[in-house]
């Protein structure tokens, strides 16, 4: 009876095999691609929380407290930069090299460049393209964040949070 149950389960799970056809072999994702996808997902989680902080602070400053648009975007980006460092350091890239003075300096230097890029892009959209209403300002902010984030991803993974040097086997 046990062999009959196994045979029934086999046939039920793979009806095309019952007709004499073989199942196609399952394709495996290469390990390097899998690691890159996991890294992108973690970067997205930290980046997403940073974007939320960025928008929250931006809107609080601009619409809640009446700050100037450029001051609001810069301050919001700087606050998000600080929260992102913690997220990248302790979540997304926790498996990378230990925290060093060099890592901190590189992170904040490249983040500063990212803030400058974001600010220039925001300025161009806000003042140059007339995206200066409540909705327009947020769209301009979103576009500037997305474009600057591509730069950040590349430099963070390449120079800031490098993999530890692994000894090579001969």
């Amino acid at each position: 009876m046990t062999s009959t149950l196994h045979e029934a389960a086999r046939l039920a799970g793979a009806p095309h095999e019952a007709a004499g056809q073989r199942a196609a072999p399952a394709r495996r994702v290469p390990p390097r691609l899998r690691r890159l996808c996991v890294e992108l997902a973690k970067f997205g989680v930290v980046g997403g929380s940073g974007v939320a902080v960025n928008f929250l602070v931006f809107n609080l400053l601009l619409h809640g407290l009446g700050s100037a648009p450029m001051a609001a975007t810069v301050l919001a980006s700087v606050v998000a930069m600080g929260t992102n460092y913690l997220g990248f350091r302790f979540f997304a890239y926790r498996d990378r090299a230990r925290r060093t003075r060099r890592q901190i300096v590189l992170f904040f230097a490249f983040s500063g460049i990212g803030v400058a890029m974001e600010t220039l892009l925001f300025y161009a959209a806000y003042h140059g393209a007339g995206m200066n209403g409540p909705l327009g300002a947020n769209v301009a902010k979103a576009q500037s964040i997305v474009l600057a984030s591509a730069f950040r991803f590349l430099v963070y993974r390449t120079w800031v949070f490098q993999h530890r040097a692994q000894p090579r086997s001969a």
Side-chain angles (χ1 to χ4, degrees), residues 22-56:
R22 290 185 173 251
R27 294 184 187 238
R28 292 182 45 110
V29 177
R32 187 172 180 173
L33 180 60
R34 187 177 320 115
R35 283 190 307 271
L36 180 61
C37 289
V38 168
E39 182 180 340
L40 276 168
K42 286 181 174 182
F43 185 88
V45 167
V46 173
S49 66
V51 167
V53 167
N54 204 330
F55 273 104
L56 180 69

PDB file of all heavy atoms in Angstrom, residues 22-56:
ATOM      1  N   ARG A  22       9.637  14.025 -19.798  1.00  0.00           N
ATOM      2  CA  ARG A  22      10.507  14.362 -18.671  1.00  0.00           C
ATOM      3  C   ARG A  22      10.305  15.820 -18.287  1.00  0.00           C
ATOM      4  O   ARG A  22      10.064  16.665 -19.125  1.00  0.00           O
ATOM      5  CB  ARG A  22      11.973  14.148 -19.023  1.00  0.00           C
ATOM      6  CG  ARG A  22      12.337  12.706 -19.175  1.00  0.00           C
ATOM      7  CD  ARG A  22      13.840  12.609 -19.412  1.00  0.00           C
ATOM      8  NE  ARG A  22      14.211  11.226 -19.384  1.00  0.00           N
ATOM      9  CZ  ARG A  22      14.906  10.676 -18.399  1.00  0.00           C
ATOM     10  NH1 ARG A  22      15.321  11.412 -17.409  1.00  0.00           N
ATOM     11  NH2 ARG A  22      15.202   9.407 -18.427  1.00  0.00           N
ATOM     12  N   ALA A  23      10.430  16.084 -16.992  1.00  0.00           N
ATOM     13  CA  ALA A  23      10.337  17.457 -16.500  1.00  0.00           C
ATOM     14  C   ALA A  23      11.613  18.203 -16.856  1.00  0.00           C
ATOM     15  O   ALA A  23      12.700  17.631 -16.850  1.00  0.00           O
ATOM     16  CB  ALA A  23      10.144  17.469 -14.983  1.00  0.00           C
ATOM     17  N   ALA A  24      11.465  19.485 -17.183  1.00  0.00           N
ATOM     18  CA  ALA A  24      12.637  20.313 -17.481  1.00  0.00           C
ATOM     19  C   ALA A  24      13.420  20.524 -16.190  1.00  0.00           C
ATOM     20  O   ALA A  24      12.828  20.689 -15.125  1.00  0.00           O
ATOM     21  CB  ALA A  24      12.197  21.657 -18.044  1.00  0.00           C
ATOM     22  N   PRO A  25      14.743  20.475 -16.273  1.00  0.00           N
ATOM     23  CA  PRO A  25      15.536  20.690 -15.057  1.00  0.00           C
ATOM     24  C   PRO A  25      15.328  22.109 -14.532  1.00  0.00           C
ATOM     25  O   PRO A  25      15.177  23.053 -15.303  1.00  0.00           O
ATOM     26  CB  PRO A  25      16.980  20.483 -15.523  1.00  0.00           C
ATOM     27  CG  PRO A  25      16.947  20.683 -16.997  1.00  0.00           C
ATOM     28  CD  PRO A  25      15.570  20.291 -17.452  1.00  0.00           C
ATOM     29  N   ALA A  26      15.271  22.220 -13.225  1.00  0.00           N
ATOM     30  CA  ALA A  26      15.110  23.526 -12.599  1.00  0.00           C
ATOM     31  C   ALA A  26      16.367  24.357 -12.831  1.00  0.00           C
ATOM     32  O   ALA A  26      17.473  23.853 -12.697  1.00  0.00           O
ATOM     33  CB  ALA A  26      14.855  23.368 -11.105  1.00  0.00           C
ATOM     34  N   ARG A  27      16.170  25.624 -13.183  1.00  0.00           N
ATOM     35  CA  ARG A  27      17.321  26.505 -13.410  1.00  0.00           C
ATOM     36  C   ARG A  27      17.716  27.146 -12.094  1.00  0.00           C
ATOM     37  O   ARG A  27      16.870  27.614 -11.350  1.00  0.00           O
ATOM     38  CB  ARG A  27      16.967  27.580 -14.425  1.00  0.00           C
ATOM     39  CG  ARG A  27      16.714  26.975 -15.780  1.00  0.00           C
ATOM     40  CD  ARG A  27      16.460  28.079 -16.778  1.00  0.00           C
ATOM     41  NE  ARG A  27      16.070  27.478 -18.026  1.00  0.00           N
ATOM     42  CZ  ARG A  27      16.715  27.670 -19.156  1.00  0.00           C
ATOM     43  NH1 ARG A  27      17.757  28.450 -19.204  1.00  0.00           N
ATOM     44  NH2 ARG A  27      16.310  27.089 -20.252  1.00  0.00           N
ATOM     45  N   ARG A  28      19.002  27.162 -11.847  1.00  0.00           N
ATOM     46  CA  ARG A  28      19.513  27.765 -10.617  1.00  0.00           C
ATOM     47  C   ARG A  28      20.035  29.153 -10.916  1.00  0.00           C
ATOM     48  O   ARG A  28      20.617  29.401 -11.959  1.00  0.00           O
ATOM     49  CB  ARG A  28      20.635  26.906 -10.042  1.00  0.00           C
ATOM     50  CG  ARG A  28      20.152  25.571  -9.527  1.00  0.00           C
ATOM     51  CD  ARG A  28      21.297  24.778  -8.935  1.00  0.00           C
ATOM     52  NE  ARG A  28      22.126  25.611  -8.073  1.00  0.00           N
ATOM     53  CZ  ARG A  28      22.180  25.502  -6.757  1.00  0.00           C
ATOM     54  NH1 ARG A  28      21.470  24.584  -6.160  1.00  0.00           N
ATOM     55  NH2 ARG A  28      22.958  26.279  -6.041  1.00  0.00           N
ATOM     56  N   VAL A  29      19.817  30.045  -9.981  1.00  0.00           N
ATOM     57  CA  VAL A  29      20.338  31.401 -10.102  1.00  0.00           C
ATOM     58  C   VAL A  29      21.803  31.359  -9.692  1.00  0.00           C
ATOM     59  O   VAL A  29      22.136  30.811  -8.635  1.00  0.00           O
ATOM     60  CB  VAL A  29      19.549  32.366  -9.185  1.00  0.00           C
ATOM     61  CG1 VAL A  29      20.131  33.761  -9.248  1.00  0.00           C
ATOM     62  CG2 VAL A  29      18.078  32.361  -9.552  1.00  0.00           C
ATOM     63  N   PRO A  30      22.691  31.908 -10.519  1.00  0.00           N
ATOM     64  CA  PRO A  30      24.116  31.907 -10.150  1.00  0.00           C
ATOM     65  C   PRO A  30      24.320  32.611  -8.808  1.00  0.00           C
ATOM     66  O   PRO A  30      23.664  33.621  -8.524  1.00  0.00           O
ATOM     67  CB  PRO A  30      24.783  32.693 -11.284  1.00  0.00           C
ATOM     68  CG  PRO A  30      23.819  32.623 -12.422  1.00  0.00           C
ATOM     69  CD  PRO A  30      22.449  32.529 -11.815  1.00  0.00           C
ATOM     70  N   PRO A  31      25.224  32.087  -7.969  1.00  0.00           N
ATOM     71  CA  PRO A  31      25.447  32.669  -6.637  1.00  0.00           C
ATOM     72  C   PRO A  31      25.781  34.164  -6.668  1.00  0.00           C
ATOM     73  O   PRO A  31      25.321  34.917  -5.825  1.00  0.00           O
ATOM     74  CB  PRO A  31      26.611  31.862  -6.068  1.00  0.00           C
ATOM     75  CG  PRO A  31      26.588  30.588  -6.826  1.00  0.00           C
ATOM     76  CD  PRO A  31      26.041  30.904  -8.186  1.00  0.00           C
ATOM     77  N   ARG A  32      26.560  34.577  -7.644  1.00  0.00           N
ATOM     78  CA  ARG A  32      26.940  35.991  -7.720  1.00  0.00           C
ATOM     79  C   ARG A  32      25.716  36.877  -7.978  1.00  0.00           C
ATOM     80  O   ARG A  32      25.571  37.941  -7.374  1.00  0.00           O
ATOM     81  CB  ARG A  32      27.975  36.171  -8.816  1.00  0.00           C
ATOM     82  CG  ARG A  32      28.552  37.542  -8.868  1.00  0.00           C
ATOM     83  CD  ARG A  32      29.689  37.606  -9.842  1.00  0.00           C
ATOM     84  NE  ARG A  32      30.232  38.944  -9.866  1.00  0.00           N
ATOM     85  CZ  ARG A  32      31.310  39.296 -10.505  1.00  0.00           C
ATOM     86  NH1 ARG A  32      31.984  38.391 -11.173  1.00  0.00           N
ATOM     87  NH2 ARG A  32      31.734  40.521 -10.482  1.00  0.00           N
ATOM     88  N   LEU A  33      24.829  36.423  -8.863  1.00  0.00           N
ATOM     89  CA  LEU A  33      23.610  37.176  -9.147  1.00  0.00           C
ATOM     90  C   LEU A  33      22.689  37.184  -7.929  1.00  0.00           C
ATOM     91  O   LEU A  33      22.081  38.205  -7.605  1.00  0.00           O
ATOM     92  CB  LEU A  33      22.884  36.581 -10.354  1.00  0.00           C
ATOM     93  CG  LEU A  33      21.583  37.256 -10.769  1.00  0.00           C
ATOM     94  CD1 LEU A  33      21.823  38.718 -11.130  1.00  0.00           C
ATOM     95  CD2 LEU A  33      20.955  36.511 -11.940  1.00  0.00           C
ATOM     96  N   ARG A  34      22.615  36.054  -7.231  1.00  0.00           N
ATOM     97  CA  ARG A  34      21.792  35.976  -6.021  1.00  0.00           C
ATOM     98  C   ARG A  34      22.302  36.961  -4.969  1.00  0.00           C
ATOM     99  O   ARG A  34      21.532  37.674  -4.344  1.00  0.00           O
ATOM    100  CB  ARG A  34      21.789  34.553  -5.470  1.00  0.00           C
ATOM    101  CG  ARG A  34      20.814  34.370  -4.321  1.00  0.00           C
ATOM    102  CD  ARG A  34      20.726  32.956  -3.790  1.00  0.00           C
ATOM    103  NE  ARG A  34      20.745  31.916  -4.787  1.00  0.00           N
ATOM    104  CZ  ARG A  34      21.725  31.005  -4.911  1.00  0.00           C
ATOM    105  NH1 ARG A  34      22.749  31.008  -4.088  1.00  0.00           N
ATOM    106  NH2 ARG A  34      21.671  30.084  -5.846  1.00  0.00           N
ATOM    107  N   ARG A  35      23.634  37.011  -4.771  1.00  0.00           N
ATOM    108  CA  ARG A  35      24.214  37.941  -3.795  1.00  0.00           C
ATOM    109  C   ARG A  35      23.927  39.394  -4.180  1.00  0.00           C
ATOM    110  O   ARG A  35      23.616  40.218  -3.324  1.00  0.00           O
ATOM    111  CB  ARG A  35      25.720  37.718  -3.659  1.00  0.00           C
ATOM    112  CG  ARG A  35      26.090  36.503  -2.828  1.00  0.00           C
ATOM    113  CD  ARG A  35      27.575  36.463  -2.510  1.00  0.00           C
ATOM    114  NE  ARG A  35      28.449  36.574  -3.660  1.00  0.00           N
ATOM    115  CZ  ARG A  35      28.891  35.554  -4.396  1.00  0.00           C
ATOM    116  NH1 ARG A  35      28.562  34.326  -4.085  1.00  0.00           N
ATOM    117  NH2 ARG A  35      29.686  35.766  -5.425  1.00  0.00           N
ATOM    118  N   LEU A  36      24.021  39.700  -5.474  1.00  0.00           N
ATOM    119  CA  LEU A  36      23.745  41.060  -5.934  1.00  0.00           C
ATOM    120  C   LEU A  36      22.277  41.411  -5.697  1.00  0.00           C
ATOM    121  O   LEU A  36      21.962  42.529  -5.256  1.00  0.00           O
ATOM    122  CB  LEU A  36      24.093  41.223  -7.412  1.00  0.00           C
ATOM    123  CG  LEU A  36      23.851  42.618  -7.994  1.00  0.00           C
ATOM    124  CD1 LEU A  36      24.704  43.665  -7.288  1.00  0.00           C
ATOM    125  CD2 LEU A  36      24.132  42.616  -9.484  1.00  0.00           C
ATOM    126  N   CYS A  37      21.372  40.474  -5.943  1.00  0.00           N
ATOM    127  CA  CYS A  37      19.941  40.728  -5.701  1.00  0.00           C
ATOM    128  C   CYS A  37      19.661  40.956  -4.219  1.00  0.00           C
ATOM    129  O   CYS A  37      18.888  41.851  -3.865  1.00  0.00           O
ATOM    130  CB  CYS A  37      19.100  39.571  -6.236  1.00  0.00           C
ATOM    131  SG  CYS A  37      19.054  39.521  -8.034  1.00  0.00           S
ATOM    132  N   VAL A  38      20.295  40.163  -3.355  1.00  0.00           N
ATOM    133  CA  VAL A  38      20.119  40.357  -1.911  1.00  0.00           C
ATOM    134  C   VAL A  38      20.684  41.712  -1.502  1.00  0.00           C
ATOM    135  O   VAL A  38      20.069  42.444  -0.723  1.00  0.00           O
ATOM    136  CB  VAL A  38      20.782  39.205  -1.109  1.00  0.00           C
ATOM    137  CG1 VAL A  38      20.875  39.528   0.369  1.00  0.00           C
ATOM    138  CG2 VAL A  38      20.018  37.910  -1.330  1.00  0.00           C
ATOM    139  N   GLU A  39      21.844  42.072  -2.042  1.00  0.00           N
ATOM    140  CA  GLU A  39      22.453  43.363  -1.726  1.00  0.00           C
ATOM    141  C   GLU A  39      21.560  44.507  -2.187  1.00  0.00           C
ATOM    142  O   GLU A  39      21.356  45.478  -1.450  1.00  0.00           O
ATOM    143  CB  GLU A  39      23.824  43.462  -2.398  1.00  0.00           C
ATOM    144  CG  GLU A  39      24.561  44.737  -2.095  1.00  0.00           C
ATOM    145  CD  GLU A  39      25.920  44.812  -2.776  1.00  0.00           C
ATOM    146  OE1 GLU A  39      26.464  43.773  -3.176  1.00  0.00           O
ATOM    147  OE2 GLU A  39      26.426  45.935  -2.901  1.00  0.00           O
ATOM    148  N   LEU A  40      20.999  44.397  -3.387  1.00  0.00           N
ATOM    149  CA  LEU A  40      20.096  45.433  -3.879  1.00  0.00           C
ATOM    150  C   LEU A  40      18.844  45.536  -3.005  1.00  0.00           C
ATOM    151  O   LEU A  40      18.369  46.642  -2.729  1.00  0.00           O
ATOM    152  CB  LEU A  40      19.687  45.140  -5.324  1.00  0.00           C
ATOM    153  CG  LEU A  40      20.656  45.610  -6.398  1.00  0.00           C
ATOM    154  CD1 LEU A  40      20.297  45.003  -7.750  1.00  0.00           C
ATOM    155  CD2 LEU A  40      20.680  47.114  -6.482  1.00  0.00           C
ATOM    156  N   ALA A  41      18.334  44.403  -2.557  1.00  0.00           N
ATOM    157  CA  ALA A  41      17.147  44.412  -1.694  1.00  0.00           C
ATOM    158  C   ALA A  41      17.456  45.093  -0.365  1.00  0.00           C
ATOM    159  O   ALA A  41      16.669  45.927   0.118  1.00  0.00           O
ATOM    160  CB  ALA A  41      16.647  42.989  -1.469  1.00  0.00           C
ATOM    161  N   LYS A  42      18.593  44.763   0.233  1.00  0.00           N
ATOM    162  CA  LYS A  42      18.968  45.397   1.502  1.00  0.00           C
ATOM    163  C   LYS A  42      19.217  46.892   1.304  1.00  0.00           C
ATOM    164  O   LYS A  42      18.821  47.711   2.136  1.00  0.00           O
ATOM    165  CB  LYS A  42      20.210  44.726   2.094  1.00  0.00           C
ATOM    166  CG  LYS A  42      19.936  43.364   2.677  1.00  0.00           C
ATOM    167  CD  LYS A  42      21.206  42.777   3.260  1.00  0.00           C
ATOM    168  CE  LYS A  42      20.951  41.483   3.967  1.00  0.00           C
ATOM    169  NZ  LYS A  42      22.195  40.951   4.565  1.00  0.00           N
ATOM    170  N   PHE A  43      19.882  47.252   0.212  1.00  0.00           N
ATOM    171  CA  PHE A  43      20.095  48.658  -0.095  1.00  0.00           C
ATOM    172  C   PHE A  43      18.743  49.358  -0.241  1.00  0.00           C
ATOM    173  O   PHE A  43      18.552  50.467   0.236  1.00  0.00           O
ATOM    174  CB  PHE A  43      20.907  48.814  -1.389  1.00  0.00           C
ATOM    175  CG  PHE A  43      21.270  50.229  -1.719  1.00  0.00           C
ATOM    176  CD1 PHE A  43      22.430  50.797  -1.230  1.00  0.00           C
ATOM    177  CD2 PHE A  43      20.447  51.003  -2.528  1.00  0.00           C
ATOM    178  CE1 PHE A  43      22.767  52.107  -1.528  1.00  0.00           C
ATOM    179  CE2 PHE A  43      20.775  52.318  -2.835  1.00  0.00           C
ATOM    180  CZ  PHE A  43      21.939  52.868  -2.342  1.00  0.00           C
ATOM    181  N   GLY A  44      17.793  48.680  -0.864  1.00  0.00           N
ATOM    182  CA  GLY A  44      16.456  49.236  -1.042  1.00  0.00           C
ATOM    183  C   GLY A  44      15.724  49.444   0.272  1.00  0.00           C
ATOM    184  O   GLY A  44      15.028  50.447   0.451  1.00  0.00           O
ATOM    185  N   VAL A  45      15.875  48.492   1.206  1.00  0.00           N
ATOM    186  CA  VAL A  45      15.223  48.635   2.515  1.00  0.00           C
ATOM    187  C   VAL A  45      15.791  49.847   3.255  1.00  0.00           C
ATOM    188  O   VAL A  45      15.046  50.689   3.761  1.00  0.00           O
ATOM    189  CB  VAL A  45      15.385  47.345   3.358  1.00  0.00           C
ATOM    190  CG1 VAL A  45      15.002  47.576   4.809  1.00  0.00           C
ATOM    191  CG2 VAL A  45      14.555  46.218   2.759  1.00  0.00           C
ATOM    192  N   VAL A  46      17.113  49.918   3.315  1.00  0.00           N
ATOM    193  CA  VAL A  46      17.740  51.050   4.006  1.00  0.00           C
ATOM    194  C   VAL A  46      17.455  52.346   3.251  1.00  0.00           C
ATOM    195  O   VAL A  46      17.080  53.361   3.849  1.00  0.00           O
ATOM    196  CB  VAL A  46      19.265  50.833   4.168  1.00  0.00           C
ATOM    197  CG1 VAL A  46      19.933  52.077   4.733  1.00  0.00           C
ATOM    198  CG2 VAL A  46      19.532  49.638   5.051  1.00  0.00           C
ATOM    199  N   GLY A  47      17.608  52.301   1.949  1.00  0.00           N
ATOM    200  CA  GLY A  47      17.336  53.489   1.148  1.00  0.00           C
ATOM    201  C   GLY A  47      15.890  53.937   1.264  1.00  0.00           C
ATOM    202  O   GLY A  47      15.600  55.130   1.347  1.00  0.00           O
ATOM    203  N   GLY A  48      14.969  52.965   1.276  1.00  0.00           N
ATOM    204  CA  GLY A  48      13.554  53.302   1.420  1.00  0.00           C
ATOM    205  C   GLY A  48      13.255  53.993   2.739  1.00  0.00           C
ATOM    206  O   GLY A  48      12.496  54.968   2.790  1.00  0.00           O
ATOM    207  N   SER A  49      13.878  53.500   3.803  1.00  0.00           N
ATOM    208  CA  SER A  49      13.673  54.168   5.098  1.00  0.00           C
ATOM    209  C   SER A  49      14.319  55.548   5.093  1.00  0.00           C
ATOM    210  O   SER A  49      13.774  56.499   5.664  1.00  0.00           O
ATOM    211  CB  SER A  49      14.207  53.309   6.247  1.00  0.00           C
ATOM    212  OG  SER A  49      15.604  53.184   6.177  1.00  0.00           O
ATOM    213  N   GLY A  50      15.451  55.670   4.415  1.00  0.00           N
ATOM    214  CA  GLY A  50      16.095  56.979   4.289  1.00  0.00           C
ATOM    215  C   GLY A  50      15.250  57.954   3.481  1.00  0.00           C
ATOM    216  O   GLY A  50      15.171  59.138   3.797  1.00  0.00           O
ATOM    217  N   VAL A  51      14.599  57.443   2.440  1.00  0.00           N
ATOM    218  CA  VAL A  51      13.713  58.283   1.632  1.00  0.00           C
ATOM    219  C   VAL A  51      12.534  58.757   2.483  1.00  0.00           C
ATOM    220  O   VAL A  51      12.131  59.922   2.423  1.00  0.00           O
ATOM    221  CB  VAL A  51      13.222  57.520   0.377  1.00  0.00           C
ATOM    222  CG1 VAL A  51      12.071  58.242  -0.298  1.00  0.00           C
ATOM    223  CG2 VAL A  51      14.372  57.323  -0.598  1.00  0.00           C
ATOM    224  N   ALA A  52      11.990  57.845   3.290  1.00  0.00           N
ATOM    225  CA  ALA A  52      10.880  58.220   4.168  1.00  0.00           C
ATOM    226  C   ALA A  52      11.311  59.320   5.141  1.00  0.00           C
ATOM    227  O   ALA A  52      10.588  60.311   5.333  1.00  0.00           O
ATOM    228  CB  ALA A  52      10.367  56.999   4.932  1.00  0.00           C
ATOM    229  N   VAL A  53      12.486  59.163   5.737  1.00  0.00           N
ATOM    230  CA  VAL A  53      13.012  60.192   6.654  1.00  0.00           C
ATOM    231  C   VAL A  53      13.218  61.501   5.887  1.00  0.00           C
ATOM    232  O   VAL A  53      12.850  62.581   6.356  1.00  0.00           O
ATOM    233  CB  VAL A  53      14.334  59.725   7.315  1.00  0.00           C
ATOM    234  CG1 VAL A  53      15.058  60.879   7.997  1.00  0.00           C
ATOM    235  CG2 VAL A  53      14.068  58.591   8.288  1.00  0.00           C
ATOM    236  N   ASN A  54      13.789  61.402   4.691  1.00  0.00           N
ATOM    237  CA  ASN A  54      14.058  62.565   3.867  1.00  0.00           C
ATOM    238  C   ASN A  54      12.762  63.336   3.578  1.00  0.00           C
ATOM    239  O   ASN A  54      12.688  64.546   3.767  1.00  0.00           O
ATOM    240  CB  ASN A  54      14.734  62.110   2.567  1.00  0.00           C
ATOM    241  CG  ASN A  54      15.558  63.190   1.904  1.00  0.00           C
ATOM    242  OD1 ASN A  54      15.269  64.368   2.015  1.00  0.00           O
ATOM    243  ND2 ASN A  54      16.578  62.765   1.183  1.00  0.00           N
ATOM    244  N   PHE A  55      11.731  62.631   3.121  1.00  0.00           N
ATOM    245  CA  PHE A  55      10.459  63.283   2.816  1.00  0.00           C
ATOM    246  C   PHE A  55       9.784  63.848   4.065  1.00  0.00           C
ATOM    247  O   PHE A  55       9.204  64.928   4.031  1.00  0.00           O
ATOM    248  CB  PHE A  55       9.495  62.324   2.105  1.00  0.00           C
ATOM    249  CG  PHE A  55       9.669  62.303   0.620  1.00  0.00           C
ATOM    250  CD1 PHE A  55      10.308  61.250   0.006  1.00  0.00           C
ATOM    251  CD2 PHE A  55       9.204  63.344  -0.166  1.00  0.00           C
ATOM    252  CE1 PHE A  55      10.480  61.218  -1.369  1.00  0.00           C
ATOM    253  CE2 PHE A  55       9.362  63.320  -1.536  1.00  0.00           C
ATOM    254  CZ  PHE A  55      10.008  62.265  -2.149  1.00  0.00           C
ATOM    255  N   LEU A  56       9.830  63.098   5.137  1.00  0.00           N
ATOM    256  CA  LEU A  56       9.202  63.551   6.375  1.00  0.00           C
ATOM    257  C   LEU A  56       9.823  64.859   6.853  1.00  0.00           C
ATOM    258  O   LEU A  56       9.118  65.845   7.132  1.00  0.00           O
ATOM    259  CB  LEU A  56       9.317  62.477   7.459  1.00  0.00           C
ATOM    260  CG  LEU A  56       8.699  62.813   8.805  1.00  0.00           C
ATOM    261  CD1 LEU A  56       7.184  62.865   8.687  1.00  0.00           C
ATOM    262  CD2 LEU A  56       9.101  61.784   9.839  1.00  0.00           C
TER     263      LEU A  56
END
